Amino acid sequence: MFRKNLAAKLTLVPSAVVIAVCFYGTILWTFYISLTHSTMLPNYRFYGFGQYLTLLSMPRWHTAFANMLIFGSLFIAGSLVIGTTLAALLDRNVKAEGLFRVFFLYPLSMSFVVTGLAWQWLLNPTTGIEALVRSFGWESFQFNWLASPEKAIYAVSIAAIWQSSGLVMAIMLAGLRGVDSDIWRAAKIDGIPVWRSYISIVLPMLRPLILTCVILLATAVVKSYDLVVAMTGGGPGISTDVPGKFVVDLLFQRANISTAAAAAILMLLSVICALSPYVYIELKRQKR
């Protein structure tokens, strides 16, 4: 028995070492580099928190961080609402359910780069939605958000919601199919409307799945670099710049490793701060 357990533990050692070195090790290395004055190559002489002060004084960082908050809020809320609604509709045993599932999951098969290029085409005033509507006679119709510095980040959010709602739908549908049928019978006997049963009874039971969806979507917010680059390139101007693109530009265009590392650490801290209250509440509920 001891040998069996020992063998099982030993098989986990390589994975634990890889995770410790490649994940936590790189986080620690990035944090230390953010405390140096490195430029093109790492310089390990301690410099203090000067890079963080420099970063917080840069207007472009303020724009990128604000865009991440706007994009993240809309993306997570929109994907959760649309994905959960689609899952609830499919859970009512609609006809051709398999066809609808494939239809709603299809955007998930595309990368953010392809999604960005597709929506760039859709929002092009000469070939996209605007041109289609105008061809029907509505000559004053305008839907050219990518050219507007005020609306471009919302267009990016719409594209991301379209791509990721299918993921939420699949996760929530799996959870809904696991709900005990006696709960539905009891709600029906008590005369509770179906929509009220979902909101007041079923969805609270699926809180762990909702938490999973939030964490997956939050990681996509941090990795939103490829969608922004493919769709807007950060423009017009820097109106759709996000921290991910900010970090990559500092690394490969301005050769400023330490400031880029400081930005990456602030991104990590912002995600931890955003998710910690929700995770703490959920863990506290599970212990009760």
Side-chain angles (χ1 to χ4, degrees), residues 31-255:
F31 176 65
Y32 185 77
I33 289 297
S34 71
L35 302 178
T36 67
H37 198 20
S38 303
T39 53
M40 182 178 291
L41 296 175
N43 177 357
Y44 295 102
R45 182 176 297 174
F46 186 72
Y47 180 65
F49 291 89
Q51 299 298 343
Y52 290 91
L53 298 177
T54 302
L55 181 67
L56 295 176
S57 66
M58 299 173 70
R60 184 184 168 187
W61 169 253
H62 294 168
T63 301
F65 198 81
N67 282 337
M68 184 181 73
L69 295 179
I70 296 172
F71 172 77
S73 302
L74 294 175
F75 173 59
I76 293 175
S79 299
L80 280 177
V81 171
I82 295 176
T84 304
T85 303
L86 293 175
L89 293 174
L90 291 179
D91 188 48
R92 305 313 299 170
N93 295 321
V94 297
K95 293 182 179 179
E97 179 188 328
L99 180 63
F100 282 114
R101 277 193 297 184
V102 172
F103 180 75
F104 295 138
L105 278 173
Y106 181 72
L108 191 62
S109 66
M110 293 188 284
S111 66
F112 269 138
V113 174
V114 177
T115 300
L117 293 175
W119 275 88
Q120 187 186 57
W121 177 80
L122 286 173
L123 296 177
N124 189 311
T126 59
T127 59
I129 298 173
E130 182 176 314
L132 177 65
V133 174
R134 288 190 175 189
S135 67
F136 293 139
W138 189 356
E139 296 294 338
S140 61
F141 179 79
Q142 292 185 344
F143 192 52
N144 187 18
W145 286 12
L146 292 184
S148 170
E150 293 80 18
K151 298 178 181 177
I153 190 64
Y154 300 106
V156 176
S157 302
I158 292 172
I161 292 171
W162 176 81
Q163 199 266 356
S164 298
S165 293
L167 172 64
V168 177
M169 181 209 69
I171 295 174
M172 295 303 294
L173 182 61
L176 291 174
R177 290 290 161 81
V179 175
D180 193 340
S181 58
D182 291 339
I183 294 176
W184 290 110
R185 293 195 193 97
K188 189 174 182 180
I189 292 172
D190 291 339
I192 302 175
V194 175
W195 65 269
R196 185 66 181 272
S197 300
Y198 275 111
I199 295 175
S200 302
I201 301 173
V202 177
L203 290 182
M205 295 170 57
L206 301 180
R207 278 197 303 270
L209 288 181
I210 296 175
L211 175 61
T212 301
C213 293
V214 170
I215 293 175
L216 291 175
L217 295 172
T219 57
V221 172
V222 178
K223 298 187 296 183
S224 55
Y225 167 81
D226 42 4
L227 176 64
V228 171
V229 170
M231 198 166 173
T232 65
I238 58 170
S239 61
T240 57
D241 201 5
V242 290
K245 185 175 184 303
F246 179 87
V247 170
V248 173
D249 288 349
L250 282 179
L251 279 174
F252 297 105
Q253 294 183 5
R254 301 189 179 185

Side-chain angles (χ1 to χ4, degrees), residues 9-26:
K9 292 176 182 177
L10 289 176
T11 56
L12 294 176
V13 169
S15 301
V17 172
V18 170
I19 292 174
V21 174
C22 297
F23 186 71
Y24 296 105
T26 52

